[in-house]
Amino acid sequence: MKRTLALLTLACAAAGAAPAPFVAEYQVLRGSMHIADARMELSRDDEDGWTLRSVTEPVAIFRLITDDIVVETSTFRFGETGPIPLHYHYEQRNSKKDRDERYAFDWAGGRVVGTARGQPVELAVPRGTLDPLLLRIAVGEALARGVLATSYAVVERSKLRDYAVKRTLTAKVKVPAGTFELQGVERVSEDGRKTTRLEYAPALDWLPVVIEHRETDKPTYRLELVKVVR
C-alpha cells in the first residue's frame, strides 16, 4: 500500500501537479527585530486558474516609523512544465512614495505589456518567464519534481532579468511554525553584494518556510513561517 501511494505521488509530481491551496503567515525580521507580518495565499479561481497573493504590513511600533503596505498579486495557470503567469500586480503604498507595477503576459505574442511607475513597458520574453512572486512557487515545484533549472527569467522593475540559482545544502531549521528539514536555492547578484535564499519544507508540500535577503553593509531581511492553513 505504501509503495502504491509513493508511486502515485511520483506520478503526480512528474505530471506537474498543482499544489493544494494554502494560507501562510510569516514574520518579517530585519536583523533580529520583528518589523512586519506577511501573509501569502494561494487560491484556485476555477478549473484552470490560480491566484497567488502576498500582503506585507509593519507591526507594533514600526507602524509609527513607516506606513508601507506591499501587496503583490499573480494570476496564473499550471502547465506541464510548471506555473505560467498571466497577470502580475505589485503595489507599495507609502505616504512618501508609491510604487506600482502591472504586467500582462501575452504568450501567443511572446511578450509582456504593462506599466511601471506610470511608464509603459513592453518586453519580448521567452517561454517560461515568471513574475517575482510566482518565482517562489515555481522553484518549490521544480525542487519537488527534481527539475530545478540553473536560471529563471523574471520580469521585474520594467526589465527582463536572468536569475541564476544554485541548490543549498539540506538543513534542519527552527522557525515559529516548528522545526523542518529544508531544501532550497540561493541567488547571488553579479557583483556579489546581494544574496537571496528561498528555503522549502518537503513535509509541507514544498511550501516556502524561509526567504532571506542579505546585502553588503545592510541589515539582513528574513521571512520565517509562523503558521500555515490548507
Side-chain angles (χ1 to χ4, degrees):
M1 182 66 175
K2 289 183 178 179
R3 178 176 172 78
T4 301
L5 289 174
L7 289 173
L8 285 172
T9 300
L10 287 173
C12 289
F22 64 81
V23 176
E25 297 179 7
Y26 299 83
Q27 65 176 11
V28 182
L29 305 175
R30 184 175 64 195
S32 60
M33 293 186 295
H34 178 194
I35 64 168
D37 286 334
R39 177 185 174 97
M40 186 165 63
E41 180 174 0
L42 176 65
S43 59
R44 193 161 195 163
D45 302 327
D46 52 49
E47 189 172 317
D48 205 28
W50 292 79
T51 296
L52 182 64
R53 189 170 189 265
S54 173
V55 179
T56 304
E57 301 181 75
V59 298
I61 193 172
F62 291 97
R63 290 181 183 144
L64 302 177
I65 301 172
T66 177
D67 56 356
D68 275 19
I69 298 176
V70 177
V71 180
E72 286 183 271
T73 306
S74 175
T75 59
F76 63 99
R77 60 184 176 85
F78 270 95
E80 291 184 1
T81 59
I84 302 169
L86 302 175
H87 296 90
Y88 172 74
H89 183 201
Y90 178 102
E91 183 181 15
Q92 181 177 12
R93 299 193 290 270
N94 183 297
S95 60
K96 297 180 180 179
K97 193 174 185 180
D98 291 341
R99 176 183 156 200
D100 191 284
E101 294 181 47
R102 300 170 186 262
Y103 303 120
F105 290 78
D106 172 13
W107 293 113
R111 61 177 187 157
V112 165
V113 295
T115 59
R117 296 190 185 277
Q119 299 299 312
V121 175
E122 184 169 351
L123 301 168
V125 295
R127 192 164 295 276
T129 298
L130 300 166
D131 62 58
L133 185 61
L134 196 54
L135 179 67
R136 299 179 184 180
I137 296 295
V139 168
E141 193 266 349
L143 285 170
R145 294 197 292 135
V147 294
L148 182 71
T150 56
S151 66
Y152 290 85
V154 179
V155 174
E156 184 178 26
R157 293 178 183 263
S158 73
K159 293 183 179 180
L160 177 63
R161 303 175 187 270
D162 183 50
Y163 284 0
V165 299
K166 63 178 182 179
R167 291 197 64 156
T168 56
L169 295 175
T170 300
K172 190 168 285 188
V173 176
K174 184 177 181 180
V175 295
T179 300
F180 302 96
E181 195 87 22
L182 301 184
Q183 298 181 33
V185 303
E186 180 178 85
R187 172 182 175 261
V188 180
S189 63
E190 291 184 2
D191 61 8
R193 295 179 60 85
K194 300 177 183 178
T195 301
T196 300
R197 295 171 67 97
L198 302 172
E199 302 285 349
Y200 301 82
L204 297 177
D205 291 333
W206 298 89
L207 181 79
V209 169
V210 174
I211 302 173
E212 183 178 274
H213 180 77
R214 301 193 306 270
E215 190 169 347
T216 304
D217 300 327
K218 291 186 178 181
T220 295
Y221 286 85
R222 181 179 173 95
L223 276 74
E224 295 182 343
L225 181 67
V226 174
K227 182 174 70 173
V228 60
V229 178
R230 293 190 179 276

